[in-house]
Amino acid sequence: MKVGYVRVSTAEQNTARQEVLMKQFGVEKVYVDRISGKSTERPQLREMLSFVRNGDTVMVEAISRFARNTKDLLELIDVLQKKGVEFVSQKEKIDTSTPTGRFMLTVFAAVAELERGYLLDRQKEGIAVAKSQGKYKGRKPIAVDEQLWAELFPLWKNGEISATEFMRKMGISKSTFYRKIRV
């Protein structure tokens, strides 16, 4: 069975182009994630990995849709190979059923990881330039009602209210609460 995997980085991005390609490839079942590829903890990826079985082929439009770094890619391919599942990336013309395909997979994964590193470096450089020009100020601090904080903090500190209740009454998130109590 041909099984497709489609991924875009955000919910706003469109998967149509990749889904059309899956139809052209004759894919019978498609899994779609709308989440960053920097982690392999993606719901549809996990479901697809548990679904595939010996003799299946996983089809992707491009390696970058499947994994963002060499380590993750090779680990995912290893999971597939242990299950007897082949991997095909159309853009790079990689097919793990051949020795050349397995070799090319490793090379392209390393290049994709290098490009991702370059992208992050360029992003950091751009932010640094914008900061130096006063155009990038980062996220605005979250406003906290200091009077309410002063009333509730001793109650929490003495165990009279829970941290959850404190956060609810303050209308703040867990990260804001813990960041503020560290200061």
Side-chain angles (χ1 to χ4, degrees), residues 35-83:
I35 189 169
S36 172
K38 67 184 175 185
S39 167
T40 58
E41 292 307 313
R42 294 174 254 149
Q44 290 296 296
L45 174 65
R46 290 284 150 213
E47 191 174 321
M48 186 262 312
L49 290 172
S50 67
F51 173 81
V52 293
R53 58 196 177 280
N54 189 30
D56 288 348
T57 300
V58 170
M59 309 280 294
V60 297
E61 182 261 336
I63 289 174
S64 64
R65 302 298 86 210
F66 195 59
R68 280 294 194 178
N69 64 59
T70 307
K71 179 181 170 282
D72 288 349
L73 177 64
L74 296 177
E75 285 175 2
L76 289 169
I77 297 300
D78 189 50
V79 168
L80 293 175
Q81 287 178 336
K82 285 179 180 171
K83 294 182 86 170

Side-chain angles (χ1 to χ4, degrees), residues 4-148:
Y5 179 73
V6 169
R7 185 190 63 77
V8 290
S9 297
T10 66
E12 295 82 34
Q13 290 178 324
N14 193 327
T15 61
R17 182 183 58 82
Q18 290 181 64
E19 291 184 74
V20 165
L21 287 172
M22 291 299 136
K23 285 181 185 169
Q24 291 173 356
F25 303 154
V27 168
E28 300 166 61
K29 185 164 180 65
V30 178
Y31 291 86
V32 179
D33 270 321
R34 288 177 169 82
I35 189 169
S36 172
K38 67 184 175 185
S39 167
T40 58
E41 292 307 313
R42 294 174 254 149
Q44 290 296 296
L45 174 65
R46 290 284 150 213
E47 191 174 321
M48 186 262 312
L49 290 172
S50 67
F51 173 81
V52 293
R53 58 196 177 280
N54 189 30
D56 288 348
T57 300
V58 170
M59 309 280 294
V60 297
E61 182 261 336
I63 289 174
S64 64
R65 302 298 86 210
F66 195 59
R68 280 294 194 178
N69 64 59
T70 307
K71 179 181 170 282
D72 288 349
L73 177 64
L74 296 177
E75 285 175 2
L76 289 169
I77 297 300
D78 189 50
V79 168
L80 293 175
Q81 287 178 336
K82 285 179 180 171
K83 294 182 86 170
V85 176
E86 298 300 339
F87 174 81
V88 175
S89 174
Q90 283 302 124
K91 183 177 182 180
E92 295 87 1
K93 304 290 186 238
I94 292 173
D95 182 343
T96 61
S97 66
T98 68
T100 304
R102 289 188 293 277
F103 169 74
M104 292 305 295
L105 176 73
T106 306
V107 171
F108 279 114
V111 170
E113 186 173 354
L114 178 66
E115 179 53 34
R116 176 82 175 140
Y118 285 157
L119 180 129
L120 294 174
D121 287 346
R122 289 190 303 268
Q123 182 182 32
K124 286 177 191 171
E125 291 167 6
I127 289 171
V129 168
K131 280 182 177 179
S132 72
Q133 295 173 348
K135 295 178 182 176
Y136 182 90
K137 296 177 178 46
R139 235 176 124 169
K140 291 185 175 144
I142 295 170
V144 174
D145 182 340
E146 294 299 332
Q147 184 178 352
L148 183 57

Side-chain angles (χ1 to χ4, degrees), residues 124-180:
K124 286 177 191 171
E125 291 167 6
I127 289 171
V129 168
K131 280 182 177 179
S132 72
Q133 295 173 348
K135 295 178 182 176
Y136 182 90
K137 296 177 178 46
R139 235 176 124 169
K140 291 185 175 144
I142 295 170
V144 174
D145 182 340
E146 294 299 332
Q147 184 178 352
L148 183 57
W149 182 276
E151 293 172 20
L152 294 175
F153 188 77
L155 298 174
W156 170 74
K157 196 78 169 157
N158 296 330
E160 296 174 44
I161 63 171
S162 69
T164 305
E165 188 176 351
F166 185 103
M167 289 179 261
R168 185 183 51 75
K169 288 183 178 189
M170 286 294 302
I172 60 175
S173 69
K174 187 186 286 189
S175 59
T176 301
F177 171 72
Y178 286 107
R179 185 171 40 255
K180 185 136 173 76

